[in-house]
Amino acid sequence: MSGRGRGRHSDARANPWHGGGRGRGRGSSGAVAPTPTQTPAHSPPPSVSASSSSAPVTPLSSEMEQKLTLDATPVAVVASESKPASSKAVRFQQRPGFGTIGRKIQVRANHFLVQVSDRDLHHYDVAITPEVASKKIHRDVINQLVHLYSETHLGRRMPAYDGMKSLYTAGPLPFSSKEFVVKLVENDGRAAGPSTSKSRKKDREFKVALTLVNKPDLYQLQQFLRSQHVETPQEAIQVLDVVLRATPSEEYTVVGRSFFSTKLGPKGSLGEGLEYWRGFYQSLRPTQLGLSLNIDVSARSFFEPILVTEFLAKHFSYTDRSKPLPDRDCIKVKKALKRVKVEVSLRDWIKNEEVKRTYTINGLSAQPLAQLRFTCEDEITSVAQYYRKKYKIDLKYVAWPAIQAGNDSKPVYLPMELCSIVSGQRYTKKLNPKQVSNLLRATCQRPSDRESNIKQMVRRKIENRDDRESLIRREFGLQVREEMALVKARVLPSPLLKYHDSGREKSVYPQMGQWNMTNKKMVNGGKLEFWVFVNFSSLYQESCVQFCEDLVNVCNSKGMDFFRDPLLPLESYHPGQIERVLRDIHRLTFKKGRQLQLLIVILPDFSDSSYGTIKRICETELGIVSQCCDYQKVKKANRQYLENLALKINVKVGGRNTVLNDAIQRKIPVVTDQLPTIIFGADVTHPAPGDDSSSSIAAVVASTDWPEVTNYRAIVSAQPHRDEIIKDLYRSHNSEKGLVHGGMIRELLIAFYKQKRLKPSRIIFYRDGVSEGQFSQVLLYEMDAIRKACGSLEEGYMPKVTFVVVQKRHHTRLFPADHNNRDQKDRSGNILPGTVVDTEICHPTEFDFYLNSHAGIQGTSRPAHYHVLFDENRFTADGLQVLTNNLCYTYVRCTRSVSIVPPAYYAHLVAFRARHYVEGESSDGGSTSGGGEQVLRALPEIKENVKEVMFYC
């Protein structure tokens, strides 16, 4: 073996690189896969891989613990969760300097600087008894406490309360611990229903104990912001964040870090009983400029405040009140309305009073309303008779079940037609494509409009100097500037892309993040001999034949060797025959003794599930690579669509579309200079909202074609529900033959070696989908898994690793400094592709940057945020920024640069593809009871010949 990596092995036949078999055991890093006696009794739960059986995950190696901590003391690990005992102990990569490459410009960022005066901060623990879950009641209790005792017991302080266990003041209270009694007046009015009591006002008494916990230090915060202190003073930032969020948390509906209200803009309909509300996101962040308040406009889906019967008509198209709801439909209704609050308001004519009460829906009655009976005044009566006698209402929806509130032992049944959905309840389940489209259409704003709306939101917060929010800000010495931060930026040059020399254009410099295939041929055109075409749409045979001919012609004109005759005659079938047809095609091609390279499928006219069915059967059962075509686009079959299909087909048969010229010339620092480099992308996708039992899916891709780094092999694995740490990066277990190694990293490293006959000496790991609060856990666990996977392949094998988190779900937006200057924006009015920011609004000490690598199409572009957590390859700021930007031009599915680095993008695609493999195995949407059984199901194994190409594109 001629690899340049560390630690060659003298006997190639015994090296696991060659066979992908069992390794001997250890690397010099101390990353030794443990024997059973070394494994903690409560080690992390095993993951389930598509490639092989699972095994307990090993604990962190001591080498990784020491390497990633501030001192030499190993970080303790909670083995059951694979988390460090203290996330504060982890020290992330420090900034190596600032970038200089590119044209210098200025951009505006939706960051508003916050000036902090010196205050004596105090943190008090809040204990409210009796305990209640509602944050609104918590806030009402504390507000009443401040109202009653501010002058007498609180030293006239105006505290900031987080709604849970913490209260903060800008100065000491006159005590270190004290208990108060607070009474809230509540309306306990009860709605109509069997055995309910009359409406009445009552006082509810609470005891509130305030106890001094500590005194957060603003001096440490100032030192940190000046880069004179390494550890982030999270507590001081938390105090100031609570201060800035105190008033909006009381005035508006809170969703995470966002606030929504009909006062913040007009609401609109999403269809099917849902509407959207406008609001704003707010977060206090430490930056190089100091503390910054990141504010962005947003929108979320809410239930419309309508009758439940109206909701069923809109959401499920249930309108015939004379027909009972089938059992399967009752299940859907229960899932849609579980935990939704409804209000019933009626007049009791016997007592001549209005009764009103709010209930929480827990389910539906097992019987239709007409059959529900209960005992009232020693007589058995029906619910319908009860409402007719007491409220003079003739119920109309008696064939439908009643809403069940209360609990199973003491249920309260309410007629649907009398229940109104309470306003302001967020809809947390997955929106359908039409609703998503409506939400995007309603909220999509041009950059200039979005910037204007953000400024207006901030102005509204700041201008009223006499409201409670302003008083609290003044008490804590906070001043928020009204102007957006004007920050330095650079526009990185686009890379030179290489095409085949036989084309009229051998290379191209993209302009404004895009280019086209005119006069160009793919740099490596694939050969497609054995293919089949099948049609499940209503297109006529002649149209299908013409589409096939056009597609073959375009592919060949772009440099592919696409044989004109399919392996089987072109046929059309009914959509209901998909599974049978696919198996017949596989059987017939097998009889011909040919390995089918590609199946081209025209999807049915209308079917949400057919795509997933085709991909699951082809990729996990039959070993067929497929290209699905949209019926509507095939009908038009314009040149652009055919060229896009050609790009996808080429990589699915092993070709390359284009490569970076610098890669061929070996001019990319770190990646292509001398030592072989492998680039990974990793992501974890979680089940849809409302599903609390299905597995999460991890996907990892890795380049296999150094130095070009354009082709990526993919692996997927199921793991515990909503667990963000990838469990199957490395695993080992003991068998009769000794220690057996496995895992995603190991398999991809072996695949790289089989193709290049070289061992990667460097690893660049782009990790998508990690929030800031998970950085420490993900880095410690996943870096350790990478180390152990490498050590399991060969003793002493330790490639240098760079670990980069890619974030898209953040709220920093960048705008042209002058919207009228064409040199500062693209056609959509967004900042230019290649715009990078690594100063001012970035972290005070750590290695991060914002990169807008793509051209906007509609709305406001979102730059990707790259945060380097660990870097042994010693990238310069320019080196990593230019590499990341250039890679964004190698995405194989289009002739545009993309918004996140392709390996992370591909991992995202693969993880979502794997969702189709398990669809239908569990109930629709999973359990919504909050206690669904979480069963880890293994994913079906992707066939080996499918994994060898970029099947997911």
Side-chain angles (χ1 to χ4, degrees):
M1 187 174 72
S2 60
R4 294 185 178 90
R6 299 181 185 179
R8 298 181 192 174
H9 202 287
S10 59
D11 184 357
R13 289 171 299 176
N15 194 322
W17 285 99
H18 290 265
R22 180 167 56 90
R24 285 192 172 272
R26 74 172 85 193
S28 61
S29 67
V32 182
T35 63
T37 57
Q38 292 173 298
T39 305
H42 300 287
S43 58
S47 61
V48 180
S49 171
S51 56
S52 60
S53 61
S54 62
V57 181
T58 55
L60 293 174
S61 67
S62 59
E63 181 269 339
M64 280 309 301
E65 290 175 350
Q66 295 182 22
K67 187 120 184 172
L68 297 173
T69 54
L70 291 172
D71 53 40
T73 305
V75 177
V77 178
V78 181
S80 62
E81 298 181 0
S82 310
K83 297 175 182 178
S86 172
S87 61
K88 292 181 180 179
V90 178
R91 181 175 180 178
F92 301 130
Q93 191 67 39
Q94 299 297 287
R95 190 181 300 280
F98 298 99
T100 58
I101 294 176
R103 177 168 63 91
K104 294 180 180 179
I105 61 168
Q106 285 186 313
V107 295
R108 295 196 182 278
N110 59 336
H111 285 242
F112 299 83
L113 296 185
V114 179
Q115 293 179 332
V116 184
S117 301
D118 190 20
R119 290 291 190 273
D120 188 14
L121 300 181
H122 285 63
H123 174 197
Y124 293 86
D125 177 75
V126 178
I128 299 176
T129 52
E131 293 185 4
V132 288
S134 170
K135 282 189 179 182
K136 183 183 183 305
I137 294 178
H138 287 179
R139 293 187 185 280
D140 289 343
V141 169
I142 297 300
N143 285 341
Q144 182 71 351
L145 184 149
V146 173
H147 174 72
L148 293 173
Y149 301 107
S150 175
E151 297 286 336
T152 57
H153 293 77
L154 301 181
R156 297 185 177 180
R157 299 285 180 200
M158 185 167 286
Y161 177 51
D162 71 350
M164 295 179 290
K165 295 284 292 180
S166 295
L167 182 139
Y168 303 100
T169 59
L173 296 177
F175 52 83
S176 59
S177 181
K178 195 174 184 64
E179 186 174 278
F180 299 86
V181 176
V182 174
K183 291 183 179 180
L184 287 186
V185 178
E186 291 188 324
N187 186 345
D188 190 38
R190 296 184 178 272
S195 71
T196 58
S197 59
K198 66 178 286 187
S199 173
R200 64 185 183 273
K201 299 278 186 177
K202 73 170 186 178
D203 289 343
R204 191 174 182 186
E205 187 174 282
F206 294 90
K207 291 181 179 179
V208 182
L210 301 181
T211 306
L212 180 64
V213 178
N214 58 17
K215 302 177 182 180
D217 190 355
L218 284 180
Y219 176 74
Q220 279 193 0
L221 174 60
Q222 298 294 352
Q223 292 292 93
F224 172 74
L225 295 173
R226 297 188 189 104
S227 302
Q228 295 172 357
H229 192 273
V230 175
E231 190 173 323
T232 306
Q234 290 290 0
E235 188 174 19
I237 295 173
Q238 169 73 11
V239 174
L240 303 179
D241 190 50
V242 169
V243 171
L244 293 169
R245 294 171 59 82
T247 301
S249 295
E250 295 179 11
E251 291 184 356
Y252 308 129
T253 299
V254 182
V255 180
R257 289 192 165 272
S258 298
F259 305 95
F260 298 94
S261 172
T262 54
K263 300 175 184 176
L264 299 173
K267 63 181 181 180
S269 175
L270 292 177
E272 300 186 15
L274 305 181
E275 61 187 14
Y276 65 85
W277 285 16
R278 299 184 189 274
F280 64 93
Y281 167 91
Q282 173 180 309
S283 177
L284 190 65
R285 304 183 60 81
T287 69
Q288 295 165 30
L289 290 174
L291 283 180
S292 165
L293 191 62
N294 180 203
I295 295 182
D296 191 22
V297 292
S298 56
R300 287 290 185 275
S301 55
F302 289 81
F303 284 94
E304 278 191 80
I306 54 179
L307 290 172
V308 171
T309 48
E310 292 180 64
F311 178 80
L312 266 59
K314 290 184 175 184
H315 201 76
F316 299 105
S317 300
Y318 298 151
T319 54
D320 190 346
R321 64 194 188 201
S322 63
K323 291 184 179 179
L325 295 183
D327 289 343
R328 65 178 182 275
D329 292 341
C330 286
I331 293 173
K332 292 179 182 179
V333 173
K334 278 194 276 190
K335 287 183 176 178
L337 294 176
K338 187 79 172 178
R339 310 308 301 168
V340 172
K341 290 182 172 62
V342 292
E343 184 181 79
V344 180
S345 179
L346 298 168
R347 172 159 290 279
D348 186 339
W349 293 99
I350 297 175
K351 299 180 180 178
N352 195 28
E353 63 182 11
E354 194 77 18
V355 289
K356 181 185 294 186
R357 195 179 179 188
T358 300
Y359 293 88
T360 299
I361 298 176
N362 285 326
L364 301 179
S365 62
Q367 298 173 302
L369 190 63
Q371 298 176 20
L372 282 179
R373 301 282 192 275
F374 69 100
T375 302
C376 179
E377 297 177 354
D378 298 328
E379 291 185 11
I380 296 177
T381 183
S382 71
V383 173
Q385 290 172 333
Y386 175 83
Y387 277 90
R388 187 182 304 115
K389 178 180 178 182
K390 190 167 186 177
Y391 301 108
K392 299 183 180 179
I393 294 175
D394 289 317
L395 299 177
K396 300 179 177 62
Y397 290 80
V398 293
W400 291 11
I403 283 174
Q404 179 183 324
N407 53 45
D408 291 337
S409 60
K410 293 183 179 180
V412 177
Y413 294 112
L414 307 165
M416 290 186 183
E417 62 199 272
L418 302 181
C419 296
S420 296
I421 295 174
V422 175
S423 179
Q425 296 182 83
R426 187 187 171 199
Y427 183 77
T428 58
K429 298 174 180 62
K430 187 176 180 180
L431 298 175
N432 64 38
K434 184 178 179 181
Q435 290 166 336
V436 171
S437 178
N438 289 341
L439 183 61
L440 291 175
R441 191 181 303 113
T443 58
C444 185
Q445 296 177 326
R446 288 185 175 276
S448 56
D449 295 333
R450 192 183 192 102
E451 181 181 347
S452 177
N453 287 341
I454 293 172
K455 289 179 178 177
Q456 183 179 351
M457 198 74 71
V458 173
R459 201 173 298 119
R460 180 184 299 165
K461 288 172 63 65
I462 295 175
E463 278 183 350
N464 187 356
R465 304 293 180 183
D466 296 324
D467 67 3
R468 185 167 179 267
E469 182 177 2
S470 297
L471 295 173
I472 292 178
R473 283 204 309 269
R474 287 206 294 271
E475 172 132 345
F476 282 84
L478 299 181
Q479 288 186 334
V480 182
R481 290 190 187 175
E482 293 186 32
E483 306 84 23
M484 276 191 180
L486 186 65
V487 300
K488 298 172 186 175
R490 291 169 288 115
V491 180
L492 301 177
S494 60
L496 180 64
L497 301 179
K498 184 72 176 71
Y499 283 90
H500 199 274
D501 288 341
S502 63
R504 287 174 57 187
E505 294 184 20
K506 299 176 179 60
S507 58
V508 62
Y509 276 110
Q511 301 296 315
M512 287 293 180
Q514 56 189 350
W515 64 103
N516 57 52
M517 287 293 293
T518 305
N519 300 325
K520 303 175 190 68
K521 290 191 175 182
M522 297 155 178
V523 69
N524 297 112
K527 186 174 184 178
L528 182 52
E529 296 181 74
F530 309 120
W531 60 282
V532 172
F533 184 97
V534 63
N535 172 41
F536 292 111
S537 75
S538 61
L539 281 176
Y540 293 117
Q541 189 82 350
E542 297 79 8
S543 300
C544 294
V545 171
Q546 185 61 54
F547 172 74
C548 245
E549 290 179 359
D550 292 343
L551 180 59
V552 171
N553 289 335
V554 167
C555 288
N556 284 326
S557 72
K558 296 306 169 189
M560 286 187 66
D561 187 5
F562 197 142
F563 282 33
R564 294 193 171 274
D565 296 324
L567 204 55
L568 299 174
L570 189 155
E571 297 286 354
S572 297
Y573 299 93
H574 187 274
Q577 299 177 307
I578 286 177
E579 187 163 351
R580 180 188 65 78
V581 170
L582 294 177
R583 297 189 188 282
D584 286 348
I585 289 171
H586 182 256
R587 177 175 50 81
L588 292 171
T589 55
F590 182 78
K591 277 187 176 181
K592 288 178 175 283
R594 304 296 188 189
Q595 174 65 56
L596 185 61
Q597 291 175 273
L598 186 72
L599 174 66
I600 302 173
V601 181
I602 300 182
L603 294 171
D605 302 8
F606 306 102
S607 175
D608 293 334
S609 62
S610 59
Y611 177 86
T613 300
I614 292 168
K615 294 299 182 183
R616 175 178 55 81
I617 294 173
C618 285
E619 292 165 6
T620 68
E621 297 181 26
L622 306 179
I624 296 174
V625 179
S626 61
Q627 176 59 57
C628 293
C629 306
D630 182 78
Y631 158 75
Q632 294 292 345
K633 292 179 180 177
V634 171
K635 277 204 307 185
K636 300 174 184 176
N638 59 43
R639 178 84 179 182
Q640 182 65 55
Y641 179 60
L642 293 170
E643 287 185 354
N644 284 345
L645 283 179
L647 296 176
K648 296 180 181 181
I649 289 172
N650 188 48
V651 297
K652 287 180 178 180
V653 296
R656 287 192 192 94
N657 296 334
T658 185
V659 297
L660 297 169
N661 189 65
D662 282 352
I664 297 175
Q665 300 295 326
R666 302 288 186 93
K667 292 181 179 178
I668 302 178
V670 179
V671 176
T672 64
D673 45 9
Q674 288 184 348
L675 302 178
T677 300
I678 185 170
I679 301 180
F680 286 88
D683 190 20
V684 177
T685 64
H686 302 293
D691 181 341
D692 61 4
S693 61
S694 298
S695 301
S696 293
I697 295 176
V700 181
V701 305
S703 60
T704 56
D705 62 338
W706 181 82
E708 292 88 352
V709 290
T710 59
N711 286 345
Y712 291 82
R713 183 182 176 94
I715 303 177
V716 292
S717 175
Q719 62 181 52
H721 178 76
R722 301 204 182 281
D723 193 338
E724 185 56 48
I725 296 173
I726 301 176
K727 291 292 185 289
D728 201 30
L729 290 180
Y730 169 77
R731 65 182 181 281
S732 64
H733 71 273
N734 280 279
S735 69
E736 294 178 357
K737 297 180 180 180
L739 193 62
V740 178
H741 305 280
M744 304 164 94
I745 297 293
R746 180 186 167 92
E747 182 175 331
L748 291 169
L749 287 170
I750 291 172
F752 181 100
Y753 179 81
K754 284 181 177 178
Q755 181 154 335
K756 301 303 299 183
R757 311 309 295 180
L758 295 169
K759 296 183 300 181
S761 295
R762 295 177 175 133
I763 291 175
I764 302 172
F765 196 88
Y766 286 103
R767 178 64 159 90
D768 194 9
V770 182
S771 65
E772 290 180 6
Q774 298 169 315
F775 280 4
S776 302
Q777 301 154 21
V778 168
L779 176 63
L780 280 172
Y781 190 96
E782 295 184 6
M783 265 301 304
D784 193 66
I786 293 170
R787 279 278 187 261
K788 289 175 179 173
C790 294
S792 74
L793 287 165
E794 186 176 51
E795 186 171 353
Y797 177 55
M798 285 182 59
K800 294 182 178 179
V801 181
T802 298
F803 195 108
V804 186
V805 168
V806 187
Q807 290 179 305
K808 282 289 284 181
R809 293 184 179 180
H810 61 83
H811 286 268
T812 292
R813 299 292 183 273
L814 304 176
F815 304 94
D818 181 0
H819 289 280
N820 296 318
N821 188 337
R822 292 185 178 180
D823 292 336
Q824 295 185 8
K825 62 181 184 179
D826 63 15
R827 293 180 196 171
S828 66
N830 279 289
I831 56 173
L832 298 170
T835 299
V836 63
V837 173
D838 63 356
T839 61
E840 294 162 309
I841 61 169
C842 293
H843 195 278
T845 60
E846 294 169 10
F847 188 5
D848 72 326
F849 58 91
Y850 293 94
L851 173 63
N852 187 80
S853 52
H854 65 299
I857 298 176
Q858 61 178 354
T860 303
S861 295
R862 185 191 328 218
H865 186 206
Y866 296 89
H867 205 123
V868 184
L869 302 188
F870 186 69
D871 180 29
E872 292 178 313
N873 290 301
R874 309 183 89 176
F875 271 101
T876 64
D878 279 326
L880 189 60
Q881 290 166 13
V882 171
L883 169 65
T884 303
N885 184 60
N886 289 357
L887 286 175
C888 290
Y889 286 80
T890 64
Y891 186 66
V892 300
R893 303 208 304 177
C894 59
T895 52
R896 299 177 64 93
S897 59
V898 288
S899 59
I900 63 171
V901 69
Y905 206 143
Y906 295 146
H908 183 75
L909 293 178
V910 176
F912 270 91
R913 172 64 60 82
R915 282 266 163 235
H916 294 301
Y917 300 162
V918 293
E919 277 184 356
E921 289 189 5
S922 57
S923 61
D924 182 22
S927 168
T928 58
S929 65
E933 183 182 356
Q934 298 177 8
V935 179
L936 190 60
R937 296 184 177 90
L939 292 174
E941 183 176 348
I942 302 171
K943 297 298 183 182
E944 191 63 27
N945 66 302
V946 174
K947 284 198 287 187
E948 287 176 355
V949 297
M950 298 176 70
F951 66 92
Y952 46 84
C953 291

